[in-house]
Amino acid sequence: MIKDLEQNFLLRHIGPSRLEIQEMLDEMGFDTIDGLIQKTIPKSIQTKTPLNIGPGIDEFSLLKRIKGIASKNKVARSYIGTGYYGTITPPVIQRNVLENPGWYTAYTPYQAEISQGRLEALLNYQTMIIDMTKLDIANASLLDESTAAAEAMVMMLRSTNKRNQLLVANDCHPQTIDVLKTRSNPIGVELVIKPVDEFKFTENVFGALVQYPSTDGKVFDFSEICNRAHKSGALVAVATDLLGLALLPTPGEIGADIAVGNSQRFGVPIGFGGPHAAFIAAKENFKRKMPGRIIGVSVDSNGDRALRMALQTREQHIRRDKATSNICTAQVLLAVMASMYAVYHGPEGIKAIASRVHEKTKDLANALQTSGYKIVHDQFFDTIRIALSKQSSQDLKESAESINLNFRYYDNGDIGISLDETISKGDLSDILSVFSSKLSKDNNFNLSLNRESDLLRHNVFNLYHSETEMMRYIHKLETKDLTLNTSMISLGSCTMKLNAAAEMIPISWPEFAFLH
């Protein structure tokens, strides 16, 4: 009987054939796999009954079932913000990176000689972060903005002596504050959460964390905070927005010691909160305290340029009690996507996207102000906070949801709206209709703080701006790596390399990818 391989997932995806399995068993002196298991797995942890997981299904049926589940999700136009925004993934990046096994099946780049393509993409990521924040060093991504903020807390704590208080602005993103609460307690850090203008740098304070722009959109000059902190011997970390930094003065130029954030809005779909590639950038003197990985430029045995993971302490893997950080992983695929987004758009493109987002947000604010609404902060990048007088936020929420719009609703009745690069004239008109408002000719809310330094100056961000050039660059880097589309990788891993193509397809479906 001819085997129906379409119906048998195991035969399609488990590498060894029955003959190869028997050859390996013969070499080890066993008749069956069960015999090998009985010999190697202690009886005390062996299961006595079959796993109750039900029968398997074929890939076509799997995709139909997942599509049915996905259809229960309602894809709305979400303008909630809080660190997550709509973005446009350039098709050349979606097709050639996210959906390409030459990128998503690669192993962690410990072996530099088979990882030169990804290492270059990650070096681009670091360069992008350094350029956008104007700090000296950056790592090759972390798990998310909140854990990056927690790592910044640890870095500042270990850089000061006998201090245990961290000042945290109460207008940081709520998820960041929650993670800080979780991570601070075990290491004896006392969080002091209050408005920025109430910060007091006492002898017990080792650092401060501010959100720039704040979670409700306020853009402000925090140089005075940096000056006061440094005068008292404390340090300052800033959670920031990469796209906003195309227009706003940078953390490094204002005086911050550390900057954290995530790169999601550089072409990575929201994905119901993740995963996304976060970043941490810092002054040079923090390089031995940085979590994760730093990619560096070196030379090989022939004297040619070569890339490697230059700074990643082994203690993060084996002597964890001695580690500077227990973060030893990264979001490589998503960091690659974000770096390619910067490569593809270049400095002028990134500034144009940021300017478009800001101008649309100004249009929204001017229209609402003309209609009698109070805009709480007059300095903002992409997020406004609206104070209501007569209408209830619940009525406006029902009106917004009736036309598929999601806003942010504050406990005091205010409404927050964060725009992004996907916003169209039609979207803006729909948002204004919720407030019974129309576009105004007013031109208020111009930024008083503006970035004056260059960004993305390296050649790689100024060469590949057509789809053909970009496709060739991505392919050139792909061919420098060992992945499953070229060879078996004889290493264990928790990466996506073992996922079947059918399991990967749904990640780009709007019902999963576009949920806030």
Side-chain angles (χ1 to χ4, degrees):
M1 180 184 294
I2 298 175
K3 294 174 182 173
D4 186 354
L5 295 180
E6 285 298 328
Q7 303 301 315
N8 197 317
F9 187 87
L10 291 180
L11 293 176
R12 286 291 190 187
H13 295 286
I14 303 300
S17 66
R18 289 190 177 91
L19 178 60
E20 290 168 330
I21 290 172
Q22 193 58 53
E23 287 177 353
M24 289 187 281
L25 289 171
D26 292 342
E27 181 69 24
M28 292 183 287
F30 295 98
D31 295 327
T32 64
I33 290 179
D34 285 340
L36 172 62
I37 292 172
Q38 291 290 334
K39 189 71 175 179
T40 55
I41 305 297
K43 285 185 171 52
S44 61
I45 62 172
Q46 291 182 23
T47 57
K48 303 297 190 292
T49 57
L51 297 175
N52 184 25
I53 58 175
I57 60 175
D58 62 87
E59 293 173 329
F60 180 72
S61 300
L62 169 73
L63 287 171
K64 283 180 65 178
R65 181 175 295 183
I66 295 178
K67 194 67 175 177
I69 295 170
S71 67
K72 298 177 182 179
N73 291 333
K74 184 177 181 180
V75 181
R77 292 172 287 175
S78 287
Y79 305 109
I80 299 170
T82 65
Y84 306 104
Y85 308 91
T87 186
I88 299 171
T89 307
V92 67
I93 295 175
Q94 177 172 333
R95 188 78 165 178
N96 293 284
V97 178
L98 178 62
E99 298 173 352
N100 180 358
W103 286 97
Y104 72 70
T105 67
Y107 184 67
T108 306
Y110 298 134
Q111 293 178 265
E113 65 274 17
I114 58 169
S115 308
Q116 288 296 295
R118 268 170 308 140
L119 290 175
E120 180 169 331
L122 292 175
L123 183 66
N124 293 344
Y125 181 84
Q126 291 176 186
T127 305
M128 171 186 79
I129 300 301
I130 290 169
D131 260 15
M132 298 304 289
T133 63
K134 287 299 179 185
L135 285 161
D136 302 324
I137 53 175
N139 71 359
S141 87
L142 285 174
L143 300 177
D144 57 41
E145 180 174 333
S146 300
T147 54
E151 290 298 309
M153 171 181 68
V154 174
M155 288 168 62
M156 292 188 290
L157 175 66
R158 290 177 173 168
S159 299
T160 54
N161 293 319
K162 298 179 180 179
R163 300 184 181 203
N164 71 331
Q165 288 186 342
L166 176 69
L167 302 179
V168 180
N170 65 348
D171 55 6
C172 288
H173 292 321
Q175 68 272 19
T176 297
I177 293 175
D178 285 345
V179 171
L180 287 173
K181 289 177 180 177
T182 300
R183 290 283 299 275
S184 60
N185 186 57
I187 59 175
V189 170
E190 178 188 348
L191 299 184
V192 180
I193 304 171
K194 57 175 56 181
V196 169
D197 57 10
E198 295 180 15
F199 278 5
K200 293 181 180 179
F201 290 92
T202 68
E203 60 184 11
N204 292 323
V205 173
F206 65 83
L209 175 70
V210 298
Q211 188 89 42
Y212 168 77
S214 66
T215 191
D216 61 354
K218 182 180 179 181
V219 171
F220 60 101
D221 183 353
F222 57 89
S223 59
E224 189 259 344
I225 294 170
C226 294
N227 293 335
R228 287 169 50 211
H230 296 155
K231 190 174 293 186
S232 73
L235 301 166
V236 177
V238 177
T240 191
D241 181 284
L242 272 189
L243 190 63
L245 294 183
L247 302 183
L248 302 174
T250 67
E253 291 168 317
I254 293 176
D257 302 286
I258 301 172
V260 301
N262 92 41
S263 58
Q264 176 268 318
R265 67 191 312 174
F266 273 37
V268 180
I270 298 176
F272 196 45
H276 307 130
F279 66 84
I280 189 163
K283 292 180 178 178
E284 180 77 19
N285 54 303
F286 286 97
K287 65 184 176 184
R288 295 291 176 184
K289 297 181 175 69
M290 288 281 280
R293 311 158 180 165
I294 296 180
I295 310 306
V297 180
S298 185
V299 294
D300 64 16
S301 57
N302 297 317
D304 296 323
R305 179 182 183 269
L307 304 176
R308 63 190 179 92
M309 290 204 292
L311 282 176
Q312 185 188 33
T313 57
R314 289 297 297 167
E315 283 80 9
Q316 291 181 198
H317 301 276
I318 53 177
R319 296 173 61 199
R320 303 198 71 175
D321 57 318
K322 303 289 186 182
T324 56
S325 166
N326 289 146
I327 298 292
C328 58
T329 188
Q331 296 285 8
V332 173
L333 180 66
L334 306 178
V336 169
M337 287 181 66
S339 75
M340 292 298 184
Y341 181 95
V343 169
Y344 190 48
H345 288 298
E348 295 306 316
I350 295 296
K351 283 190 286 188
I353 293 169
S355 296
R356 186 170 70 247
V357 171
H358 178 59
E359 289 300 319
K360 293 289 186 185
T361 311
K362 281 175 53 182
D363 290 343
L364 176 61
N366 278 301
L368 292 175
Q369 182 173 259
T370 300
S371 298
Y373 292 94
K374 179 183 177 183
I375 306 303
V376 176
H377 305 303
D378 63 359
Q379 291 291 291
F380 52 77
F381 165 59
D382 64 350
T383 298
I384 60 171
R385 181 167 182 161
I386 308 154
L388 306 180
S389 55
K390 298 178 181 179
Q391 299 98 325
S392 75
S393 61
Q394 184 59 37
D395 290 341
L396 292 174
K397 181 179 181 181
E398 291 174 2
S399 177
E401 291 180 350
S402 72
I403 55 173
N404 215 28
L405 296 174
N406 283 340
F407 302 148
R408 183 179 180 184
Y409 301 95
Y410 294 93
D411 291 341
N412 71 342
D414 289 356
I415 294 178
I417 301 178
S418 297
L419 302 189
D420 55 61
E421 68 168 319
T422 69
I423 191 78
S424 67
K425 290 182 178 178
D427 294 327
L428 193 58
S429 177
D430 286 345
I431 293 171
L432 289 172
S433 72
V434 172
F435 298 87
S436 302
S437 180
K438 293 183 179 180
L439 286 174
S440 163
K441 293 183 179 180
D442 291 347
N443 185 30
N444 301 313
F445 306 109
N446 294 311
L447 285 170
S448 60
L449 299 172
N450 292 279
R451 178 173 181 145
E452 296 181 359
S453 57
D454 294 334
L455 65 146
L456 304 178
R457 296 160 296 170
H458 193 279
N459 280 345
V460 74
F461 300 112
N462 295 276
L463 292 175
Y464 309 109
H465 297 163
S466 75
E467 182 171 304
T468 304
E469 291 168 331
M470 190 66 192
M471 179 174 60
R472 290 170 180 164
Y473 178 64
I474 292 171
H475 180 67
K476 182 180 76 170
L477 297 193
E478 176 194 341
T479 60
K480 295 181 179 182
D481 270 33
L482 184 71
T483 52
L484 276 188
N485 65 350
T486 54
S487 169
M488 181 58 195
I489 304 169
S490 55
L491 292 167
S493 174
C494 58
T495 63
M496 289 191 290
K497 73 173 187 286
L498 297 179
N499 286 357
E503 295 169 318
M504 297 292 290
I505 287 173
I507 69 171
S508 57
W509 289 350
E511 297 92 340
F512 295 134
F514 297 164
L515 301 184
H516 190 280

